[in-house]
């Protein structure tokens, strides 16, 4: 979603697993994919272990509040917001400090170029996002919001509350002619750190070449639930809903999830006795393609909600829907353990997905909760056990998933807010 002049690397939240072979902490997304095999970089890996230095100008820092797992587009907007806050208006002098940016597989440090005093020091695992926009680099590090006493005393944190908890994002803004190189080097530092983690656990990352992985993808058919439902003409239909002027439609919508063939919104709940339910023409799980001729494909959830709210004074609404069951079927084909799955999971929720990996081909979607793995329910299964099951699964891996927001509604963890 960004302009061609800006490139951005995927979020690497939860890279705790790089530093220690212990199971991922509850706050972390456990990285199941071997990102090291797919993110080439400009540096010699040995140099990144010792650390490399780039010269840059430090323009300033700002703090943003962020959801736990925002989308890539939201991350980029946050980065651009940080730049707009820090950069001086056109024509005004920009305050700046000459710095040395130290990047290694362990940490990122910012040193005053003259005094060599440390101005900032972030462990690599706390870096959530790197964006380069022209000659500007935005480095975003997360800080946990302090828990209240009442939260500290809770014996078991509620996963739904944990998802909604916000984080303080510290955004540092730098200017450098090497902006793109800096961003690529930080991305590569994550990759090299992961290779070191694999070696510490007795796995040789060179055992699997990029060509082997490409060859595997080329032999696999794409399996995506969407394709099955979209290809049947009887599943794609126009539905007309009659309602009173001033009456709400009476639905809850959620995102279909990144990884969908056509990312749009799904009906997650319907108000009892509301126009949507009374029509008898809509089901939970239906994907809404357009409303009154306005396409919802690719639009943010908030925009889709606004469009539906804007229909309050209309008496007849036309929805173009694709009939889909609320549960998505996923099929990942993994010949052996050397092939990375290509997604991260946290407390049963898929929180990142590698573009072009076997998981994306199999229909995995970001923001979905895993309900079953190979016909075994994992609804009440601890995070570490889910990671263990997935890490050791080979052959055909069958999963059932549904949008996490829909799951919370169905299990009464959240109350529906109808629109």
């Amino acid at each position: 979603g960004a302009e061609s002049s800006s490139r951005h690397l995927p979020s690497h939240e939860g890279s705790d697993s790089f530093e220690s072979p212990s199971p991922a902490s509850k706050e972390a997304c456990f990285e199941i994919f071997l990102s090291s095999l797919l993110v080439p970089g400009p540096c010699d890996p040995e140099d990144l272990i010792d650390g490399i230095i780039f010269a840059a100008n430090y323009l300033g820092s700002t703090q943003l509040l962020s959801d736990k797992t925002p989308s890539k587009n939201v991350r980029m907007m946050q980065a651009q917001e940080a730049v707009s806050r820090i950069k001086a208006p056109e024509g005004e002098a920009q305050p700046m400090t000459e710095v040395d940016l130290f990047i290694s597989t362990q940490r990122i440090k910012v040193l005053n170029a003259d005094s060599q005093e440390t101005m900032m020091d972030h462990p690599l695992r706390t870096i959530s996002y790197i964006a380069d926009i022209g000659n500007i680099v935005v480095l975003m590090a997360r800080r946990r919001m302090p828990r209240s006493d009442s939260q500290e005393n809770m014996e078991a944190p509620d996963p739904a509350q944990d998802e909604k908890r916000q984080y303080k994002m510290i955004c540092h803004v730098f200017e450098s002619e090497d902006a793109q190189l800096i961003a690529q080097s930080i991305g590569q530092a994550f990759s090299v750190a992961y290779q070191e983690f694999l070696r510490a656990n007795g796995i040789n990352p060179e055992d699997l070449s990029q060509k082997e992985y490409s060859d595997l993808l080329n032999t696999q058919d794409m399996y995506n639930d969407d394709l099955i439902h979209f290809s049947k003409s009887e599943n794609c239909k126009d539905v007309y809903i009659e309602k009173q002027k001033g009456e709400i439609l009476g639905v809850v919508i959620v995102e279909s999830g990144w990884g969908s063939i056509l990312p749009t919104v799904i009906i997650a709940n319907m108000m009892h006795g509301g126009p949507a339910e009374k029509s008898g023409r809509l089901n939970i799980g239906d994907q809404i393609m357009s409303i009154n001729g306005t396409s919802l494909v690719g639009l943010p959830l908030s925009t889709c909600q606004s469009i539906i709210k804007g229909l309050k004074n209309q008496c007849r609404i036309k929805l173009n829907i694709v009939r889909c069951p609320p549960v998505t079927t996923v099929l990942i084909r993994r010949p052996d353990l050397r092939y990375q799955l290509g997604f991260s999971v946290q407390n049963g929720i898929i929180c990142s997905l590698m573009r072009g990996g076997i998981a994306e081909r199999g229909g995995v979607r970001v923001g979905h909760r895993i309900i079953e793995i190979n016909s075994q329910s994992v609804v009440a299964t601890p995070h570490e056990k889910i990671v263990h099951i997935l890490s050791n699964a080979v052959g055909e891996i069958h999963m059932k998933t549904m949008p996490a927001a829909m799951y919370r509604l169905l299990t009464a963890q959240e109350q529906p807010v109808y629109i």
Side-chain angles (χ1 to χ4, degrees):
E3 307 82 33
S4 57
S5 63
S6 51
R7 280 158 292 281
H8 40 289
L9 301 168
S11 163
H12 289 281
E13 282 184 33
S15 347
D16 296 15
S17 51
F18 294 155
E19 292 201 343
S20 154
S22 62
S25 71
K26 283 222 170 75
E27 286 108 52
C29 287
F30 191 95
E31 298 290 343
I32 294 172
F33 52 79
L34 313 185
S35 53
S36 53
L37 298 167
L38 291 145
V39 187
C43 308
D44 185 319
E46 292 295 322
D47 292 343
L48 281 168
I49 293 168
D50 297 330
I52 57 169
I53 290 176
F54 287 96
N57 291 317
Y58 168 62
L59 307 189
S61 301
T62 187
Q63 187 167 277
L64 301 171
L65 280 180
S66 175
D67 290 336
K68 189 161 196 171
T69 50
S71 68
K72 213 152 65 164
N73 284 348
V74 169
R75 276 272 189 253
M76 197 61 195
M77 283 162 64
Q78 289 172 338
Q80 287 165 334
E81 164 72 12
V83 173
S84 68
R85 287 188 194 181
I86 299 295
K87 278 210 87 174
E90 199 70 42
E92 290 186 24
Q94 173 72 55
M96 60 176 68
T97 307
E98 288 186 22
V99 295
D100 289 333
L101 205 54
F102 171 87
I103 300 165
S104 79
T105 54
Q106 295 290 319
R107 58 201 335 98
I108 294 177
K109 284 178 19 176
V110 180
L111 310 166
N112 184 297
D114 293 329
S115 67
Q116 286 298 291
E117 283 182 21
T118 300
M119 295 166 61
M120 291 157 229
D121 185 351
H122 291 290
L124 190 68
R125 67 176 185 271
T126 64
I127 304 300
S128 293
Y129 196 74
I130 317 112
D132 60 295
I133 308 165
N135 65 345
I136 297 290
V137 175
V138 183
L139 188 66
M140 296 169 69
R142 67 191 169 102
R143 285 185 182 170
R144 190 68 180 266
M145 294 278 275
R147 284 168 174 256
S148 64
D149 290 341
S150 61
Q151 283 175 315
E152 287 290 359
N153 294 331
M154 284 167 60
E155 285 186 21
D158 176 1
Q161 289 301 318
D162 196 51
E163 265 310 292
K164 287 187 280 190
R165 186 173 294 133
Q166 289 198 307
Y167 287 75
K168 285 180 180 173
M169 300 297 310
I170 310 299
C171 305
H172 305 303
V173 181
F174 303 91
E175 184 182 68
S176 171
E177 289 179 6
D178 293 326
Q180 186 188 349
L181 206 56
I182 290 169
Q184 289 172 344
S185 300
I186 295 171
Q188 191 187 2
F190 279 99
S191 304
V192 176
Y194 196 82
Q195 285 183 323
E196 292 306 300
F197 167 68
L198 289 176
R199 286 195 183 95
N201 284 276
I203 300 167
N204 181 2
E206 274 112 41
D207 281 352
L208 180 69
S209 71
Q210 175 67 57
K211 184 178 184 305
E212 279 183 279
Y213 193 71
S214 300
D215 289 347
L216 170 74
L217 289 180
N218 291 336
T219 63
Q220 289 196 4
D221 291 330
M222 197 156 184
Y223 179 89
N224 196 304
D225 227 11
D226 282 350
L227 284 174
I228 297 162
H229 303 299
F230 280 65
S231 60
K232 293 181 180 169
S233 57
E234 65 269 24
N235 285 339
C236 309
K237 55 180 71 178
D238 286 336
V239 168
Y240 292 89
I241 309 290
E242 309 283 345
K243 67 177 192 66
Q244 300 297 313
K245 196 172 180 181
E247 191 179 18
I248 63 169
L249 188 59
V251 294
V252 178
I253 56 170
V254 298
E255 289 171 316
S256 60
W258 189 80
S260 310
I261 295 285
L262 287 173
T264 183
V265 290
I266 295 176
I267 296 174
N269 204 307
M270 288 189 282
M271 185 171 76
H272 183 61
E277 189 197 59
K278 275 198 303 193
S279 74
R281 295 186 176 96
L282 296 173
N283 295 322
I284 289 174
D286 287 352
Q287 297 196 19
I288 307 175
M289 296 291 112
S290 68
I291 294 182
N292 288 351
T294 301
S295 173
L296 303 190
V297 174
L299 297 183
L301 178 64
S302 56
T303 307
C304 297
Q305 288 169 330
S306 298
I307 290 169
I308 292 176
K309 286 174 187 173
L311 305 170
K312 205 167 177 186
N313 288 324
Q314 296 192 25
C315 299
R316 193 167 194 256
I317 296 162
K318 177 186 174 186
L319 300 162
N320 179 261
I321 60 139
V322 177
R323 182 126 295 156
C324 298
V327 173
T328 299
T329 303
V330 174
L331 172 58
I332 304 170
R333 296 181 178 95
R334 185 191 201 188
D336 62 57
L337 290 177
R338 295 182 307 147
Y339 294 90
Q340 71 272 34
L341 285 172
F343 69 98
S344 315
V345 65
Q346 180 201 3
N347 294 327
I349 296 170
I350 294 151
C351 51
S352 67
L353 179 62
M354 188 173 67
R355 172 64 80 190
I358 55 175
E360 190 195 23
R361 278 184 174 259
V364 168
R365 301 180 191 184
V366 173
H368 273 224
R369 196 184 198 295
I370 304 172
I371 308 298
E372 273 183 17
I373 303 172
N374 290 335
S375 302
Q376 176 189 346
S377 172
V378 291
V379 163
T381 304
H383 167 74
E384 285 79 12
K385 184 152 185 221
I386 292 174
V387 168
H388 179 76
I389 293 168
L390 288 169
S391 298
N392 293 287
V394 290
E396 286 199 347
I397 305 163
H398 296 261
M399 293 199 308
K400 292 194 183 299
T401 73
M402 69 160 58
M406 185 190 289
Y407 175 82
R408 290 195 294 270
L409 286 168
L410 292 175
T411 52
Q413 293 174 47
E414 274 183 17
Q415 291 304 307
V417 179
Y418 298 108
I419 54 174

